[in-house]
Every structure is written in C-alpha cells, then in structure tokens.
Amino acid sequence: HMPLQTSEDFGARDFASDGKLQIHDHLFPSANTGVTWLMDCPEGTAAHERLLQECMRVDLFGLKEDGAITGELHAPLRPVLPTLQPGKTYLLETVIRTLKMGHIFTQGTSDSNEVWLEVTVKSGDRVIGRSGHIDESGEVDRWSHFLNSFVLDENGNRINRRNAQDIRVPLYNHQMPPGAGQVVHYELPVPDDVDQPVTIEVKLQYRKFDQEFMAIIAQRHKPGDLPLRGHEPGKPYRNPLPIITMATDSITLPIAGGDAEPLTQQDRSIPLWQRWNDYGIGLFLEGKAELKQAEEAFQQVEELGRYDGPLNLARVYQREGRLDEAVRALQRAGDHADPPAPPWTLSWLTGVVNAQQGNLKTAEENFRAVLDMKVPERKFDFSRDYEVINELGLTLFRLAQQQRGEARKAARDELLTEAVEVFRKTLSLDSENVTAHYNLQLLYQQLGQTELADEHAKLHQRFKEDDTIRGEVIRKARAQYPAADHAAEALVIHSLTRDLESK
C-alpha cells in the first residue's frame, strides 16, 4: 500500500538498480488526517475520511436489567423494542466491530491516535445521559471509552507526545483485532419523571491527535518555525484537527406510561447471527470477566445455523479448561458445509486443544496443516504465521522431553534440533520474538550448546517486558490517571450521568 515514487529525499534508494532514487509513498489513504489538515490539503483529508467511514461499525445491541452484567438481557434491539421503566437503571450493551482491514485497529501510533465513543441519550429535548463529549478546551472527557493503548514510561507517566522511545508498559490496550467485536457497557439510569420516548445515539469518533498532544506542539512553537495552522500566539490552543465520524447508530425506545404515539419497529441490515457473534466475541475478548455471557451469545449463533457458533464456543471451552466440550464443539463446527468453517481456524484450534490434552503427535499434524495451507484466491499463506510456528516448536519440544533415557537420546536430539529450526524460522520473521528466544535458550541448553544458549538468554532478557518495573509503574499510573485506572479494569462500566452530575 506504499508504492514507490521518485524522490531526492536523503532516505531514497535505488530499488530497481536502474540509477533512479525512490522512496515508499507514505501519503496513502489511511488515518492521518492530522498531517493533511495541518498542511491544508482538503483532498487528502477527504480521502482519509472516505476510508475511515468504511472500516468500522457500531451497534446498539442490547439492554440488561438492573444495570448489571448478570441482569436479564433484552437483545438484539430491533426489531424488538423493550419498554423502559422510569426510575429503573439499565446496562446499555454497545458493540463496535472492525470491517475491511487486515490488521489491528488502530495499529501504528496507537498511543496518540484518538478514537472514542460519543453517546447522547435524550428524552424529548432533555439530555438524560451522555459520554464522550468535548469540553471548551477541546479535550474529550477522559472518562469516555477510547480505542487506544494507554502506554507508560518508567515513571508511570503517559506517553503523550509520541516519545515512543520511552515506552515501557501499557496500562491498558483497547485496540481491536481484524474482524472482531468489542463490547462497551454503559450504565443508564432512567429518571423517575421521564414520560417521553428515549433516543440513544452513539458515534465512533476519530481525531488524529488529542488536545494534550496538540497543546504541547503549540507551546513549543517558536518564532521562525513553520506556521502551525490554528495557532495564534498568546492564545490558548484549542485542538482544531478534524473529527471524523467513523460509524454511528441510534435507537428510540418507548417509556412505560408515556403518552407518545406507539413507535414503529426499527431494524438493522446486519445479519442476526453476526450481531450475536460480534457481541460474543467482544465479551470473550474481555477475558475471564464474561465468559459465561460469551458462551450464551455463541449458543445463539449456533442455533441460527452458523459454524461460527460452535467454533467460538470451542474457544470459550478451551479457555475455561472444558476440553472435552471444546472437542465436541470443534466437531460440530467441522460438520458445517454451507458455509464451511475455515479449515485453518479449525486446524489451529484443534491443535491447541490436542496439545492441552497431551495428544502431541496429533497436535503437531494440526499445526503443520495450518502452516502448509495456502488460499490463493484470498492471498492467504500461513507459512509465515509465527504464532502457529511457535506452537509447533513448543509441541516438538514437548515430544522431545518424552524421549527419556540414554537409549532414546538420538530420537530426543533429533526432535530438539527440529524444534530449534522451527524457532529459528520465527526469528527470521520477527527477530525480537520473546517466545522464540526463550525456547531456543532452553533447547540449546539441552543440546549442550552453551554459547548459543547464553546468546538467546541475553536476547530474551533484552526483548522481554521489564517485569522489574511493571508493578511500580502501573501503581503510579493508576494513582495519577483515575479515568485510565477505571478503563484498565477487567470489567468496565461507563457512567452516562457522571458528566451531567458534575455540572
């Protein structure tokens, strides 16, 4: 996506060996509306905007009673519209989904990208709930839900000016895998005196840099520097970068005892199974907090006749250690023919479950099947998937450890050597891979090659996360950034009235 173009830039190279210097064009449509706006390039900003509006989706999926994770779920919203009771509190279940991208969202400069959910709840003209709004200074409410990574330096300070060299540990990471869902929970109390239908609107908003970052740039702007668009010396700098609405959804719900006309049923064009599946994936990705609820969502998908249901149930069961149930779910997923479950995912998950059950030879076959798989029409080539390569290496290592005693030394060394080659393949793709360096250290130790073992031990120490500072750094950050501390919890429920109550 970065075609070559002729250039006299100091980093230009002779890529074609024809004497012409070229660079990779970084002005492809993606997400950097900051550069195009600051350079007053409206056509560039428009190109970015078009792409941004095609790659995400937001869905007001459900409501839970009593404002609790364990409350009765009314879902999916539309065509059914539950009636709200004045004086009761609900949990609004909102689902964000990635579309048309093959990488994590946002990827790249995730510490400085500003992506958040803006929510407005109204009854008539009265605002009864909101989150994600911008104040007079240009700053988004820090208690909003952000799709970013909140990363820290060694002193627990947020990396807030693109000082990537100082990054040590994340406080949280809310980026999303491709084709995945993310669930955002909002607590919604309905006032006692509400008598008109309640309209909920959500917008997924994007701004390249936040107010804090842009204020730092303005503060450091000196006479003689290139003009900074929107900056007036001596005046507070309010972030002028464009805000792009990437996706939106809205719904109007009836109120019990209200005297308004009956509401017509609203519907969504998203397939029903997909809405349930996105919801389940979002719950699953929260970790252990809502695996039961994820299981219930994926059961709905299976009832709707999709392979995604049993396939994702297998993920839940594998995480919970319910391995026999995972095997049965994978078998059911494999029975689907219209459409069939993707064989690469089936082989991968089956390999993971087999390895956990001690069926190492079968697991080895599963992982090799994935790595040998190519899908030309989709340009899939799994031979470079170093996550699968590492699983194969670990499986070979465990097989080697089963070859005990002097009589089996030759067989053991053969498997150890094969595992070495597998992990070296990982390093050819990712030279800083921590798993590969750690296991190569152990493998070379068992093969008696101490110099190589020491070399990979040093590289492992160099590239692994710094455990010695992690606890102290995060403790400092949690005390310094209360909103981020809240966002870093295993289960996060955002208030829709906190902003209103503070006024």
Side-chain angles (χ1 to χ4, degrees):
H1 61 279
M2 290 188 287
L4 292 170
Q5 66 175 28
T6 303
S7 175
E8 296 181 358
D9 186 88
F10 72 92
R13 292 165 48 195
D14 184 3
F15 286 93
S17 301
D18 58 3
K20 296 180 181 179
L21 295 178
Q22 296 177 304
I23 60 169
H24 286 287
D25 182 9
H26 281 64
L27 297 180
F28 57 92
S30 58
N32 200 335
T33 53
V35 169
T36 55
W37 190 88
L38 290 169
M39 294 179 66
D40 198 10
C41 179
E43 63 275 15
T45 301
H48 291 311
E49 183 172 359
R50 285 193 297 272
L51 184 142
L52 286 165
Q53 292 173 337
E54 295 175 354
C55 65
M56 301 294 287
R57 180 170 73 205
V58 63
D59 181 21
L60 289 165
F61 178 74
L63 283 175
K64 285 188 173 182
E65 298 279 351
D66 304 319
I69 293 298
T70 55
E72 180 185 354
L73 174 64
H74 301 279
L77 299 177
R78 293 154 296 181
V80 176
L81 297 173
T83 299
L84 301 180
Q85 300 288 335
K88 290 192 67 174
T89 297
Y90 297 87
L91 197 68
L92 177 64
E93 302 283 80
T94 304
V95 180
I96 309 169
R97 189 185 195 273
T98 53
L99 305 167
K100 297 185 179 180
M101 67 178 74
H103 60 76
I104 290 172
F105 179 80
T106 67
Q107 195 70 288
T109 56
S110 62
D111 55 296
S112 60
N113 296 332
E114 190 176 40
V115 187
W116 74 98
L117 267 185
E118 179 183 322
V119 186
T120 305
V121 185
K122 289 184 174 182
S123 177
D125 294 330
R126 176 185 173 188
V127 176
I128 63 171
R130 70 177 196 172
S131 176
H133 287 255
I134 296 177
D135 65 18
E136 296 77 10
S137 72
E139 181 175 73
V140 179
D141 178 12
R142 296 191 181 190
W143 292 85
S144 310
H145 178 75
F146 292 95
L147 280 74
N148 67 339
S149 53
F150 198 99
V151 287
L152 311 169
D153 66 15
E154 62 185 3
N155 297 310
N157 298 312
R158 180 194 172 207
I159 300 297
N160 62 355
R161 59 189 187 283
R162 275 280 61 228
N163 49 319
Q165 73 280 1
D166 297 325
I167 293 175
R168 291 297 178 268
V169 294
L171 178 57
Y172 67 73
N173 186 350
H174 289 167
Q175 296 185 88
M176 295 179 61
Q182 184 175 101
V183 176
V184 190
H185 310 288
Y186 289 99
E187 184 183 63
L188 174 60
V190 179
D192 294 329
D193 57 350
V194 166
D195 59 4
Q196 296 185 58
V198 171
T199 297
I200 306 168
E201 182 181 33
V202 292
K203 297 178 181 179
L204 184 63
Q205 305 284 47
Y206 169 90
R207 184 167 61 176
K208 178 57 186 173
F209 299 119
D210 61 24
Q211 171 63 25
E212 184 178 10
F213 180 89
M214 293 303 296
I216 291 171
I217 293 175
Q219 289 165 7
R220 298 187 179 184
H221 193 266
K222 303 183 298 295
D225 288 348
L226 291 173
L228 176 61
R229 189 179 179 194
H231 175 51
E232 296 183 43
K235 293 186 177 181
Y237 190 76
R238 189 182 191 281
N239 191 349
L241 297 184
I243 295 172
I244 310 299
T245 299
M246 301 181 66
T248 186
D249 192 18
S250 64
I251 190 170
T252 300
L253 300 172
I255 284 287
D259 48 4
E261 291 294 319
L263 299 175
T264 57
Q265 290 191 328
Q266 304 149 310
D267 206 351
R268 295 230 65 182
S269 59
I270 308 168
L272 182 58
W273 71 265
Q274 197 173 97
R275 295 184 73 192
W276 276 111
N277 198 54
D278 292 345
Y279 180 58
I281 290 172
L283 298 173
F284 177 78
L285 291 177
E286 288 183 357
K288 296 180 180 179
E290 291 196 85
L291 288 180
K292 181 180 183 297
Q293 289 82 358
E295 177 184 5
E296 292 168 353
F298 294 139
Q299 287 170 344
Q300 292 284 338
V301 179
E302 184 166 15
E303 288 181 12
L304 290 166
R306 286 287 303 197
Y307 69 78
D308 314 67
L311 193 64
N312 286 324
L313 280 170
R315 298 179 193 270
V316 173
Y317 298 146
Q318 182 270 329
R319 181 172 289 181
E320 291 187 323
R322 299 156 63 182
L323 299 182
D324 290 341
E325 291 177 82
V327 170
R328 291 193 290 271
L330 287 167
Q331 290 169 344
R332 296 198 305 274
D335 290 340
H336 280 260
D338 185 24
W344 50 90
T345 307
L346 270 176
S347 294
W348 157 253
L349 277 175
T350 302
V352 170
V353 173
N354 273 323
Q356 285 187 290
Q357 290 184 316
N359 304 321
L360 298 180
K361 284 300 298 181
T362 309
E364 178 191 352
E365 294 169 4
N366 297 143
F367 295 136
R368 290 192 187 279
V370 178
L371 295 172
D372 290 340
M373 206 171 292
K374 292 179 173 59
V375 187
E377 63 272 20
R378 298 184 65 177
K379 299 182 180 179
F380 285 178
D381 178 0
F382 293 96
S383 65
R384 295 169 60 84
D385 189 329
Y386 53 74
E387 296 290 340
V388 184
I389 294 171
N390 281 346
E391 288 291 348
L392 174 60
L394 287 166
T395 302
L396 292 169
F397 196 172
R398 291 178 62 190
L399 282 167
Q401 291 171 324
Q402 291 181 346
Q403 304 298 315
R404 300 182 181 89
E406 190 62 29
R408 297 184 177 182
K409 183 178 186 305
R412 181 171 61 252
D413 286 353
E414 182 179 350
L415 284 165
L416 291 173
T417 301
E418 190 174 1
V420 165
E421 292 307 311
V422 170
F423 283 118
R424 290 184 67 84
K425 172 68 180 297
T426 290
L427 293 182
S428 72
L429 300 166
D430 176 16
S431 62
E432 299 181 5
N433 190 276
V434 173
T435 300
H437 283 301
Y438 177 73
N439 284 283
L440 283 169
Q441 169 196 346
L442 300 179
L443 286 162
Y444 281 127
Q445 283 175 348
Q446 294 206 12
L447 288 167
Q449 301 180 44
T450 55
E451 288 188 8
L452 286 170
D454 290 344
E455 176 187 336
H456 286 284
K458 292 175 183 176
L459 289 169
H460 174 251
Q461 286 296 319
R462 176 182 175 186
F463 297 130
K464 78 181 187 71
E465 195 171 278
D466 190 346
D467 297 325
T468 61
I469 69 168
R470 181 178 180 85
E472 182 67 12
V473 167
I474 289 181
R475 183 189 66 78
K476 291 178 179 178
R478 283 185 176 275
Q480 184 177 354
Y481 305 106
D485 174 35
H486 177 252
E489 296 294 336
L491 178 62
V492 181
I493 297 178
H494 296 276
S495 170
L496 285 171
T497 57
R498 179 191 159 277
D499 185 34
L500 298 177
E501 292 166 355
S502 65
K503 297 198 180 303

